[in-house]
C-alpha cells in the first residue's frame, strides 16, 4: 500500500482529510499519494507567514545563507534519489532529471551567495544641490511581503527552487504551491528546509488543488505572486489582482535562426544537433524548447536533412533508462493535444518529414515544413516534441519571422558575425538572445523572462530578489560630508 506524503505547513509536516495519487505518465503506476490541506490548514499557513514577516526580514544574513547552503549540499547528497523521483512523477528521462537536480543545487548556492551581499545599501550625497547640504541618502531594499510561488510540472524541482531560494535570500516568507501532477519534488525541498534554523512560519509547501487557488491568489496577505505556467492562467491571475506585484514567466514558441554565414558542414552539424536535442528534451515541454527553425535559403537545403536525421536519432522510450533522450509527455491528454495540432497542420498543407505518431502519453519527435501561418501549431506554444522549419531570404526576413509571434521569451541565432549578434539583440522582441546556440540555453543566475505575452518580470536569483523587494530611502540630516 502506498504511504501518504504529508505537506509542509509553517515548517512542519501535516496531513489533511483528502489525498490524491501521483501517477507516472510512462506506465501509469502510482508514484506516491499526497495529502491535501484543508481550508483551515491553508489559512493557518497564510496567517503564520504573515505573522513572521518582520522577524524573517530581520533574520541575520548568515542564518538565511546557511539555510540555503544546507539545502544546496543536501540536494547534492540526494541527487540520484531525487532524480529518480522527478523521472517517475514527470516522465522526464533520467539524464535530464539528474541535470535538473544539478541546476537546483546551483540555484540554492547562488541564493546563499546573494543573501550574504544583499542589502548593503547605496549611499548618495544630496548636497549636489544647496537644499541638500549636510544630507545623505541611504537606499536599501526590503521585502514586499509574503510571496505566493506557483510552480509548473515541467521542472518540478528547479522551478520550485527558483521561487523558494530568492524569497529566503531576501527574508520574505513564501508559500509554495507545486503542480498537482508533480508535487513530490517540491515536498522534498520541504524536507530539506525543515532541517534548517529558519523561522517556522517563513515557509510552507502546500499541495493545494488548482481549483482552490483563486482564494489564495486574492488573499491580501500575499502581496507578491510568482507564477510560472501558461499565458492564459498567468494573465488571468494578474487581471484578478491588479494591485499585487506579479512576476509571470509564461509560454513561448522559441525560434532558432540559422543565418547565411553559419554555413560550413561543421556549423550545420552543430546547429542540427542542438536543434534536434532541444526541440525534444523534456519531451518538448519547456517554454524555451526549439519550436521554430528559421533558416536562410542559402543553407536551408543542406540543413534540413541534417535536422531530420538528428531528430530521428533521438532515443525514445523508458525515462528510467539512461540512454533515453525523449520520454512521454506529462499525460495522455497532453499528447492527444499535440497530436491534434500536428494533424490540423498536415490537413492544412504542412509536410510531415518524420514523426507524427502517438502512443499513449508518448509522441514521436516530429519535423514539419510548409506549415500554414494560420494553424494552431504556427501560432501557439506546442509544448511537445514538434519542430517546424521555414526558409527565409536574409537576416531582415529572418528577424521579422521571429517577431511574428505573440510570444517573446528567448531566441537563438546561429551566426559568427559580431555585428549581426548586436543587431539581433536590438531587433528581436524577446527576453533573451542566445548567439551561436538554440533559445533553450538558460543559466540560472542570469535574468530570465520574456516580452509580449511571454510574461512580466524576471527570474534568475538576483533578479527575482529585486522583484520580491522594494527600495526604501533613509535620509540623514546634519552631516559633515
Amino acid at each position: 500500500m502506498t504511504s501518504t506524503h504529508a505537506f509542509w505547513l509553517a515548517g512542519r509536516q501535516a496531513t489533511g482529510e483528502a489525498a490524491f495519487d501521483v501517477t507516472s505518465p510512462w506506465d501509469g503506476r502510482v508514484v506516491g499519494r499526497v495529502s491535501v490541506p484543508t481550508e483551515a490548514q491553508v489559512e493557518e499557513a497564510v496567517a503564520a507567514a504573515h505573522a513572521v514577516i518582520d522577524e524573517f526580514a530581520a533574520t541575520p544574513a548568515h542564518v538565511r545563507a546557511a539555510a540555503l547552503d544546507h539545502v544546496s549540499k543536501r540536494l547534492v547528497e540526494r541527487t540520484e534519489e531525487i532524480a529518480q523521483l522527478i523521472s517517475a512523477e514527470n516522465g522526464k528521462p533520467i539524464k535530464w532529471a539528474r541535470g535538473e537536480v544539478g541546476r537546483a543545487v546551483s540555484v540554492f548556492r547562488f541564493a546563499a551567495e546573494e543573501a550574504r551581499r544583499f542589502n548593503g545599501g547605496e549611499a548618495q550625497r544630496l548636497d549636489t544641490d544647496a537644499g541638500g547640504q549636510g544630507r545623505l541618502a541611504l537606499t536599501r531594499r526590503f521585502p514586499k511581503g509574503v510571496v505566493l510561488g506557483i510552480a509548473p510540472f515541467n521542472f518540478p524541482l528547479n522551478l520550485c527552487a527558483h521561487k523558494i531560494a530568492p524569497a529566503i535570500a531576501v527574508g520574505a516568507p513564501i508559500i509554495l504551491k507545486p503542480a498537482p501532477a508533480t508535487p513530490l519534488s517540491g515536498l522534498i525541498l520541504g524536507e530539506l528546509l525543515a532541517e534548517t534554523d529558519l523561522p517556522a512560519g517563513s515557509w510552507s509547501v502546500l499541495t493545494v488543488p488548482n481549483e482552490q487557488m483563486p482564494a489564495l491568489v486574492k488573499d491580501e496577505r500575499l502581496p507578491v505572486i510568482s507564477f510560472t505556467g501558461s499565458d492564459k492562467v498567468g494573465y488571468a491571475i494578474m487581471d484578478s489582482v491588479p494591485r499585487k506585484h506579479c512576476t509571470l514567466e509564461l509560454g513561448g514558441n522559441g525560434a532558432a535562426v540559422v543565418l547565411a554565414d553559419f554555413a560550413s558542414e561543421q556549423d550545420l552539424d552543430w546547429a542540427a544537433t542542438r536543434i534536434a536535442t532541444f526541440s525534444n528534451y523534456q519531451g518538448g515541454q519547456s517554454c524555451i524548447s526549439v519550436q521554430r527553425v528559421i533558416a536562410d535559403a542559402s543553407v536551408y537545403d543542406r540543413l534540413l536533412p541534417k535536422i531530420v536525421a538528428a531528430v530521428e536519432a533521438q532515443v525514445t522510450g523508458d525515462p528510467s533508462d539512461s540512454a533515453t533522450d525523449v520520454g512521454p509527455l506529462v499525460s495522455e491528454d497532453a499528447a492527444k493535444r499535440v497530436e491534434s495540432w500536428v494533424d490540423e497542420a498536415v490537413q492544412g498543407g504542412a509536410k510531415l518529414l518524420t514523426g507524427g505518431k502517438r502512443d499513449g502519453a508518448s509522441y514521436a519527435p516530429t519535423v514539419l515544413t510548409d506549415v500554414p501561418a494560420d494553424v494552431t501549431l504556427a501560432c501557439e506554444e506546442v509544448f511537445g516534441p514538434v519542430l517546424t522549419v521555414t526558409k527565409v531570404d536574409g537576416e531582415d526576413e529572418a528577424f521579422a519571422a521571429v517577431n511574428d509571434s505573440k510570444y517573446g521569451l528567448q531566441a537563438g541565432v546561429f551566426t559568427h558575425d559580431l555585428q549581426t549578434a548586436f543587431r539581433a539583440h536590438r531587433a528581436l522582441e524577446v527576453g533573451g538572445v542566445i548567439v551561436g546556440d538554440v533559445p533553450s540555453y538558460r543559466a540560472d543566475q542570469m535574468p530570465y523572462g520574456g516580452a509580449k505575452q511571454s510574461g512580466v518580470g524576471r527570474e534568475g536569483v538576483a533578479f527575482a530578489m529585486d522583484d520580491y523587494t522594494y527600495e526604501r530611502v533613509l535620509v540623514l540630516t546634519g552631516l559633515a560630508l
Side-chain angles (χ1 to χ4, degrees):
M1 184 175 180
T2 303
S3 60
T4 299
H5 294 262
F7 50 86
W8 292 91
L9 194 169
R12 73 179 192 278
Q13 285 189 306
T15 55
E17 299 170 354
F20 64 93
D21 289 335
V22 179
T23 59
S24 165
W26 169 247
D27 55 16
R29 65 188 170 91
V30 175
V31 178
R33 187 165 177 79
V34 176
S35 185
V36 178
T38 64
E39 290 185 8
Q41 288 171 320
V42 172
E43 167 59 28
E44 183 180 349
V46 174
H50 189 258
V52 81
I53 287 174
D54 291 340
E55 177 190 350
F56 195 31
T59 302
H62 72 87
V63 173
R64 287 179 275 115
L68 292 161
D69 272 331
H70 175 82
V71 175
S72 180
K73 292 171 183 175
R74 293 287 284 134
L75 286 170
V76 172
E77 294 169 0
R78 296 177 64 176
T79 291
E80 189 60 26
E81 170 203 349
I82 297 171
Q84 289 181 14
L85 182 64
I86 292 170
S87 183
E89 68 173 343
N90 174 276
K92 181 175 299 193
I94 189 65
K95 67 179 182 180
W96 293 115
R98 291 176 182 132
E100 181 174 347
V101 180
R103 289 180 61 186
V105 168
S106 296
V107 168
F108 279 96
R109 188 181 74 250
F110 295 151
E113 295 166 357
E114 293 293 344
R116 291 186 172 96
R117 57 177 169 254
F118 172 71
N119 217 13
E122 179 179 344
Q124 181 183 16
R125 294 180 67 132
L126 300 181
D127 63 352
T128 51
D129 184 84
Q133 187 167 334
R135 296 179 188 267
L136 181 77
L138 179 66
T139 303
R140 298 169 61 202
R141 301 191 71 89
F142 294 86
K144 294 173 179 173
V146 183
V147 177
L148 173 61
I150 306 172
F153 71 81
N154 56 330
F155 289 87
L157 180 74
N158 195 41
L159 292 183
C160 287
H162 270 286
K163 311 299 182 192
I164 291 174
I168 292 173
V170 301
I174 181 165
I175 293 175
L176 175 75
K177 178 205 174 300
T182 57
L184 302 177
S185 302
L187 293 173
I188 286 281
L189 290 178
E191 290 183 34
L192 306 185
L193 288 168
E195 298 170 355
T196 72
D197 295 326
L198 295 175
S202 61
W203 60 273
S204 293
V205 182
L206 302 181
T207 47
V208 179
N210 288 341
E211 56 268 23
Q212 293 184 21
M213 283 308 295
L216 262 180
V217 164
K218 292 179 180 179
D219 195 308
E220 293 183 358
R221 294 167 295 177
L222 308 175
V224 179
I225 298 174
S226 178
F227 171 84
T228 302
S230 73
D231 58 324
K232 179 180 178 181
V233 175
Y235 285 117
I237 288 173
M238 178 177 278
D239 290 344
S240 71
V241 286
R243 289 180 175 83
K244 288 195 178 190
H245 179 89
C246 294
T247 298
L248 305 179
E249 196 278 283
L250 307 177
N253 54 4
V257 176
V258 185
L259 294 175
D261 70 298
F262 212 82
S264 71
E265 290 302 311
Q266 183 179 6
D267 286 342
L268 296 180
D269 286 342
W270 163 258
T273 299
R274 298 293 286 178
I275 287 165
T277 298
F278 289 97
S279 63
N280 294 292
Y281 85 127
Q282 328 289 340
Q285 296 169 122
S286 168
C287 46
I288 47 175
S289 67
V290 186
Q291 182 171 330
R292 299 180 291 156
V293 176
I294 299 163
D296 189 87
S298 64
V299 298
Y300 178 89
D301 289 338
R302 294 162 56 216
L303 176 64
L304 181 59
K306 291 178 182 288
I307 290 174
V308 173
V311 167
E312 291 178 340
Q314 295 286 299
V315 178
T316 61
D318 186 344
S320 67
D321 188 336
S322 293
T324 298
D325 299 311
V326 187
L329 276 69
V330 71
S331 67
E332 186 169 0
D333 283 346
K336 287 179 177 178
R337 178 190 55 75
V338 172
E339 179 182 43
S340 70
W341 288 15
V342 172
D343 289 348
E344 177 200 14
V346 171
Q347 291 166 10
K351 295 179 182 177
L352 179 66
L353 303 186
T354 191
K357 296 178 181 178
R358 182 180 66 83
D359 181 7
S362 297
Y363 196 80
T366 297
V367 180
L368 303 104
T369 61
D370 301 329
V371 176
D374 59 347
V375 300
T376 308
L377 185 62
C379 306
E380 299 293 338
E381 178 181 36
V382 65
F383 227 59
V386 177
L387 182 66
T388 68
V389 187
T390 303
K391 182 192 300 185
V392 294
D393 290 315
E395 176 188 308
D396 289 346
E397 189 173 326
F399 291 173
V402 174
N403 290 339
D404 186 19
S405 169
K406 67 180 181 179
Y407 298 110
L409 194 47
Q410 292 196 163
V413 180
F414 288 90
T415 182
H416 296 294
D417 188 88
L418 186 60
Q419 293 292 346
T420 299
F422 276 93
R423 285 196 296 271
H425 199 200
R426 286 194 302 270
L428 297 180
E429 298 165 352
V430 295
V433 178
I434 314 300
V435 175
D437 206 350
V438 290
S440 317
Y441 176 79
R442 177 184 181 183
D444 291 285
Q445 70 271 39
M446 77 183 195
Y448 178 74
K452 298 189 282 191
Q453 291 191 36
S454 287
V456 295
R458 291 293 180 267
E459 289 194 340
V461 176
F463 303 92
M465 290 167 68
D466 282 347
D467 255 4
Y468 294 171
T469 56
Y470 70 99
E471 296 154 318
R472 185 187 297 166
V473 66
L474 173 71
V475 177
L476 302 174
T477 303
L479 302 179
L481 297 175

